[in-house]
Amino acid sequence: MTDNGKQLKVPVIDPHFFILERDRDNLDRFHRLADKHPVNLLVTGSQGCGKSSLVRQFSAVYQRPLATFQVGLLMESGMLFGQQRLKGGETYYHEFLFPIAIQTPGCVVHLEEINRSETPHALNELYSVLSEDRCIWVDELGYISVAPNVIFFASMNEGAEFTGTETVDAALRDRFYNVHLNYLPGDIEKQVLLCKTGITEEQADRILSIVNGIRLNRQAAMNVSIRHSIMIAELVALGASLRDAMIYSLKTSADTLESLLLSVHVATGDADSHSDQYTLYIPDGEKKHPEAQGWGHTPNSGG
């Protein structure tokens, strides 16, 4: 590893990461296969099902440094490697992390949302580094060869609901093995909520009862991912009502949530609370007067 490559870190293992046994076995095979020849993996699946988390966990399990790159930030070919900059009235070439990462032996290089670049031409240089030869000429840097045992992961969301995404070129997609993830079954998702957030079994059952009701209703027009259910559980674990936890985690309004719950015939079971009252947002020790504890104003009553 180069001196610059020392900035690449191995992620911490998530002790509560679940995956299909066959996927676990095959990821181990891909890890070993990388010793023999280049390996590229494309991770697909529903939004929030753990695609990026899988890449981090792979890196952590096999103690590989990880470098993640947002493909959606690429506007033209060559931007992964570096860019001309201006300093003191003179231009110079600033090398980015990508060439450092691909020259770091054993590195996991994650190309996140590979189907979201500003233009398909921005991905042109990837064809060379993902090929069997694993090398590319960059005028400012010279001849760059991918280091041994580097594994490229790409991940993406597919579907008309994801704005800004494009169909991945067949020639590019052909360079990858494909790992497809599904949402976890209910009993496993419950274990994830219990282990990651510390909520009770009763709370987990309530959350998943509502979440699954929304998921199974095709007219609900809302995707509730595993990421969302964890976010909801985290807030509940810290004392939030289930109603409030869903409003903040699902990025919806109270009225929209109530309509959604009615449509799927479920309820949060929360009693009326003080959630529509106003209070000062200052450190608790500075609330010296009783009237500073809160007012019973409704959201439309003004200050």
Side-chain angles (χ1 to χ4, degrees):
M1 184 182 300
T2 66
D3 289 340
N4 288 335
K6 291 180 181 178
Q7 62 189 282
L8 300 176
K9 305 294 184 182
V10 175
V12 177
I13 288 179
D14 179 351
H16 309 300
F17 189 88
F18 289 87
I19 190 173
L20 280 172
E21 186 174 347
R22 65 170 177 266
D23 286 339
R24 171 67 177 84
D25 292 343
N26 283 305
L27 285 169
D28 184 68
R29 293 184 179 105
F30 291 131
H31 165 68
R32 290 183 280 126
L33 191 61
D35 287 330
K36 299 181 178 180
H37 64 71
V39 171
N40 310 314
L41 298 172
L42 175 64
V43 186
T44 57
S46 301
Q47 181 184 12
C49 67
K51 297 184 291 294
S52 296
S53 297
L54 174 65
V55 180
R56 289 195 300 272
Q57 190 73 353
F58 179 91
S59 301
V61 167
Y62 297 111
Q63 291 294 286
R64 292 169 170 269
L66 172 65
T68 300
F69 302 92
Q70 298 289 339
V71 174
L73 299 177
L74 303 181
M75 294 179 288
E76 58 186 31
S77 181
M79 285 189 66
L80 275 170
F81 288 89
Q83 201 173 47
Q84 294 290 341
R85 297 280 178 83
L86 181 65
K87 184 177 181 180
E90 296 185 1
T91 60
Y92 71 100
Y93 187 79
H94 178 69
E95 182 182 9
F96 291 162
L97 182 61
F98 186 75
I100 296 170
I102 67 175
Q103 294 179 92
T104 301
C107 187
V108 170
V109 179
H110 182 195
L111 304 167
E112 197 160 32
E113 298 196 84
I114 195 171
N115 59 336
R116 198 182 281 273
S117 63
E118 290 288 333
T119 168
H121 300 298
L123 302 180
N124 283 349
E125 67 263 33
L126 289 179
Y127 288 89
S128 296
V129 297
L130 294 173
S131 68
E132 286 292 324
D133 292 338
R134 298 276 209 177
C135 59
I136 188 171
W137 174 267
V138 178
D139 287 341
E140 295 84 355
L141 301 175
Y143 186 76
I144 295 177
S145 181
V146 178
N149 211 10
V150 168
I151 291 184
F152 285 91
F153 274 84
S155 59
M156 65 181 186
N157 292 311
E158 294 180 287
E161 67 271 29
F162 299 107
T163 60
T165 61
E166 301 288 344
T167 301
V168 175
D169 185 273
L172 181 61
R173 192 162 188 158
D174 191 55
R175 286 166 163 77
F176 292 89
Y177 291 98
N178 189 201
V179 179
H180 185 78
L181 298 184
N182 293 307
Y183 287 133
L184 296 174
D187 59 333
I188 300 299
E189 186 172 3
K190 179 178 177 179
Q191 289 301 311
V192 170
L193 298 189
L194 292 173
C195 294
K196 285 183 175 291
T197 69
I199 58 173
T200 66
E201 288 201 31
E202 180 182 359
Q203 290 171 325
D205 288 336
R206 286 179 61 204
I207 291 171
L208 291 178
S209 174
I210 295 174
V211 163
N212 288 327
I214 297 173
R215 288 171 177 166
L216 293 174
N217 190 308
R218 295 182 178 178
Q219 297 180 343
M222 178 177 288
N223 174 55
V224 185
S225 67
I226 298 171
R227 180 191 302 132
H228 289 137
S229 64
I230 293 174
M231 291 167 65
I232 293 168
E234 286 176 332
L235 288 177
V236 169
L238 292 173
S241 68
L242 180 50
R243 173 180 174 272
D244 285 349
M246 294 187 69
I247 289 172
Y248 285 99
S249 301
L250 300 181
K251 280 76 75 175
T252 187
S253 68
D255 290 341
T256 301
L257 177 64
E258 293 302 329
S259 298
L260 176 63
L261 296 180
L262 285 173
S263 72
V264 297
H265 308 294
V266 294
T268 61
D270 295 319
D272 289 338
S273 69
H274 62 280
S275 59
D276 289 333
Q277 294 181 341
Y278 277 74
T279 188
L280 288 174
Y281 185 42
I282 59 177
D284 289 339
E286 297 182 16
K287 296 179 179 179
K288 299 178 181 179
H289 303 289
E291 61 270 21
Q293 297 300 319
W295 297 268
H297 294 196
T298 62
N300 294 325
S301 64

